[in-house]
Structure formats: C-alpha cells, structure tokens
Amino acid sequence: DRVFAAVTEIARRNPGKTLLLTSHATAICMFACRVLGLSPAACRSLRLPPNASLSSFDYDEGEFHMCQYGEDAYLGELRFLPPPTA
C-alpha cells in the first residue's frame, strides 16, 4: 500500500512525463500485483523481477497499466540466471 500510494502521488505530480523509479524486487512485484488486481499473496506465483531488469507502467486518468515486467534481455550475458530447481 505504501509503495502504491507513493508511486501514484509521484505520477499525479508529473503528468505527461516519463519517470524513472528504482526499487527492490519485492516492492516491484507487489506494485505489479496491485496494478493487475491480484492479491499480495499472488506475488509468490508471479516471479520476482531479476536484478537490473526493467518494468514499465503507464499512468492515465488515475490508473496504471503494466507495459512490461522484469525485462532483462538487454543485459545479454550479464543477465542473472538462477540455478535450476531440482
């Protein structure tokens, strides 16, 4: 709720601008769940965004829309690939 309120306020104060915000993976995941109308528990099934990845959201008429989530292909071989699970 805190992250969503803060990002909403930043978006409201900067209409029509492109903004760059940085945060930790869990906060980004929780924000994405809220935008998608999912419960906080859904963050467990939605993968956490990788380090240095890009997630983007549009803000229009008081609503957020997710454009991309956890995009890290631009990192090439620097991408962090977690070890396979057994």
Side-chain angles (χ1 to χ4, degrees), residues 2-83:
R2 247 186 3 244
V3 171
F4 190 83
V7 174
T8 299
E9 183 60 26
I10 292 167
R12 282 187 190 142
R13 290 182 183 206
N14 295 279
K17 293 182 181 176
T18 299
L19 306 171
L20 172 68
L21 307 175
T22 62
S23 189
H24 296 280
T26 301
I28 295 167
C29 186
M30 296 299 272
F31 183 82
C33 284
R34 178 85 178 256
V35 168
L36 295 172
L38 303 172
S39 73
C43 198
R44 289 190 178 122
S45 60
L46 187 67
R47 69 175 174 83
L48 290 176
N51 290 340
S53 67
L54 303 172
S55 298
S56 64
F57 302 84
D58 282 337
Y59 182 75
D60 187 37
E61 296 189 23
E63 290 189 24
F64 286 99
H65 304 278
M66 188 163 64
C67 303
Q68 66 180 5
Y69 179 77
E71 176 59 48
D72 67 352
Y74 78 96
L75 291 169
E77 65 184 45
L78 296 175
R79 254 175 83 201
F80 171 74
L81 298 174

